[in-house]
Amino acid sequence: MENAVDSTNEDVNFQTRLNLAPLQESVNQVRAEIAKVIVGQSKMIDQLLVAVLSNGHVLLEGVPGVAKTITAKLLSRTLSLDFSRIQFTPDLMPSDIIGTSVFDLSKSTFEFKKGPVFSNFVLIDEINRAPAKTQAALFEVMEERQITTDGNTYKLDLPFLVIATQNPIEQEGTYRLPEAQLDRFLFKINIEYPNLAEEIAILQKENELQNNDKLASIAKVIEKSNILNFQGLVKQILIEPHLVEYIAKIVLNTRENPFLYLGASPRASIAILNAAKGFAALKNRDFVTPEDIKEAAIPVLQHRVVVTPEREMEGVTSTVIIKQIIDSVEIPR
């Protein structure tokens, strides 16, 4: 009887154990390549890696000069993916992003010319500079990985990742992103100023590079097929039912909090679930812990909730309220 029990346990352990070694090796290589140029910002880089592993989009927010764009470009260089960059401006039209139908005289038919969004890795610079009409062009492609135009639907090649940047300070010539679009970003990452030691290291690295191209020495370390395999592997990471309930309670609290005018949707719950698995994978674990959920909750939720006008006037931010919610929800044991 004991042998039968032992055999069953071995089978269970074998079925639930995931080989995360190749993923760990690739992630460490990406970190090393980015560190050739970027000083510090390890938390941001890990969050970007989780977004790639979780097949989610990222909104990078920070003042000019904190390496938002260069970090996104560096990440794209380490991944063997098609890359395109779109500079958003007030006069940008939806057709400039998704493409347009052009009449072919030789065939006497209209032919669809694909826009720059038809890529694996899309960097959108200053996303809040385009008007609502252009922003709406991203809704379908970010959520469903497809474009519908002129009655035809075009599927995008996977993986498909959007990294967008925006400046939270400058208001002239900018447009507020619609809540429906913000909800399509897995993470919003706030990039802060470096500390003194990091600032000195940045200057030293810049002095060493002199006129050399910062991107020239960056090697491609992860192939497209491996990224898709890693994404499939992350989905298999285990999460216990009581931790699923923990996620649901955190999100439910955002809807019942008196300081929030708008709470998070079920899409946010799913985003926390997927991101928590990504953080577990980065730590070489095939199971999710409450700490993974806490780590995922703030970047997932902070752009999805809206603070009441009264609290906003008092200087209370969504991040502060989310931290209070996380602290108030009992951690399951």
Side-chain angles (χ1 to χ4, degrees):
M1 186 67 180
E2 286 184 6
N3 291 337
V5 172
D6 291 341
S7 175
T8 302
N9 288 337
E10 287 176 7
D11 289 343
V12 171
N13 291 335
F14 177 79
Q15 290 172 359
T16 58
R17 188 179 296 121
L18 300 175
N19 180 18
L20 297 172
L23 185 151
Q24 280 291 307
E25 183 180 353
S26 297
V27 162
N28 289 334
Q29 286 177 333
V30 170
R31 287 174 176 146
E33 292 298 317
I34 295 177
K36 292 178 181 178
V37 178
I38 300 297
V39 174
Q41 302 289 6
S42 58
K43 182 178 178 181
M44 174 190 65
I45 292 166
D46 280 355
Q47 288 173 334
L48 287 171
L49 288 167
V50 168
V52 173
L53 295 174
S54 306
N55 195 26
H57 312 298
V58 177
L59 178 63
L60 292 177
E61 184 173 278
V63 297
V66 290
K68 300 186 298 295
T69 303
I70 189 66
T71 302
K73 290 176 71 176
L74 287 167
L75 178 62
S76 73
R77 288 291 292 264
T78 64
L79 310 176
S80 294
L81 299 174
D82 292 334
F83 172 80
S84 67
R85 175 179 175 175
I86 310 172
Q87 182 69 51
F88 269 30
T89 57
D91 61 346
L92 197 72
M93 298 296 290
S95 58
D96 297 327
I97 300 170
I98 64 174
T100 186
S101 295
V102 178
F103 189 72
D104 189 337
L105 289 173
S106 62
K107 299 178 182 177
S108 296
T109 57
F110 282 95
E111 183 179 349
F112 180 67
K113 297 292 184 182
K114 294 180 178 179
V117 80
F118 282 87
S119 186
N120 296 121
F121 192 111
V122 180
L123 169 60
I124 299 177
D125 226 0
E126 298 186 273
I127 189 171
N128 56 337
R129 289 203 173 274
K133 185 176 181 180
T134 304
Q135 301 288 356
L138 295 171
F139 283 18
E140 181 184 16
V141 68
M142 288 179 67
E143 181 63 22
E144 301 175 48
R145 271 71 173 180
Q146 66 180 33
I147 290 289
T148 302
T149 181
D150 295 334
N152 296 315
T153 299
Y154 303 90
K155 296 285 186 181
L156 272 73
D157 185 31
L158 299 179
F160 175 71
L161 174 69
V162 172
I163 293 186
T165 70
Q166 72 173 8
N167 172 8
I169 304 301
E170 191 173 356
Q171 301 300 322
E172 188 175 347
T174 64
Y175 301 83
R176 181 184 174 93
L177 297 186
E179 274 70 26
Q181 183 175 4
L182 287 170
D183 201 32
R184 283 161 168 77
F185 285 101
L186 176 72
F187 287 156
K188 177 186 173 187
I189 302 174
N190 296 318
I191 306 177
E192 307 294 339
Y193 285 120
N195 59 35
L196 178 60
E198 290 171 339
E199 191 91 23
I200 293 170
I202 289 168
L203 293 172
Q204 290 173 337
K205 192 176 285 287
E206 182 66 26
N207 185 50
E208 292 168 3
L209 288 171
Q210 298 181 6
N211 291 327
N212 295 328
D213 182 6
K214 294 179 181 179
L215 301 178
S217 63
I218 304 300
K220 294 187 183 297
V221 296
I222 310 182
E223 297 294 327
K224 181 190 295 187
S225 59
N226 289 338
I227 294 172
L228 293 172
N229 289 337
F230 292 158
Q231 289 177 347
L233 196 64
V234 167
K235 286 186 178 295
Q236 298 175 47
I237 287 178
L238 298 177
I239 180 166
E240 296 293 334
H242 65 276
L243 292 181
V244 173
E245 185 178 347
Y246 181 50
I247 294 172
K249 286 180 178 179
I250 290 173
V251 174
L252 182 63
N253 267 261
T254 67
R255 301 169 195 162
E256 298 176 346
N257 192 290
F259 294 168
L260 293 177
Y261 172 73
L262 178 70
S265 69
R267 184 186 281 149
S269 303
I270 296 169
I272 294 175
L273 173 71
N274 292 332
K277 290 182 177 183
F279 281 114
L282 282 194
K283 296 163 189 169
N284 201 25
R285 277 191 275 101
D286 67 349
F287 59 91
V288 172
T289 68
E291 290 304 315
D292 297 325
I293 294 170
K294 286 184 175 183
E295 197 168 0
I298 291 176
V300 166
L301 293 175
Q302 64 183 351
H303 59 292
R304 288 180 159 93
V305 299
V306 179
V307 181
T308 58
E310 298 81 13
R311 292 293 174 260
E312 196 169 22
M313 288 176 66
E314 294 172 3
V316 178
T317 65
S318 61
T319 304
V320 170
I321 296 172
I322 292 164
K323 285 180 180 177
Q324 292 173 350
I325 289 172
I326 293 171
D327 291 340
S328 68
V329 177
E330 185 180 357
I331 299 172
R333 301 297 178 186

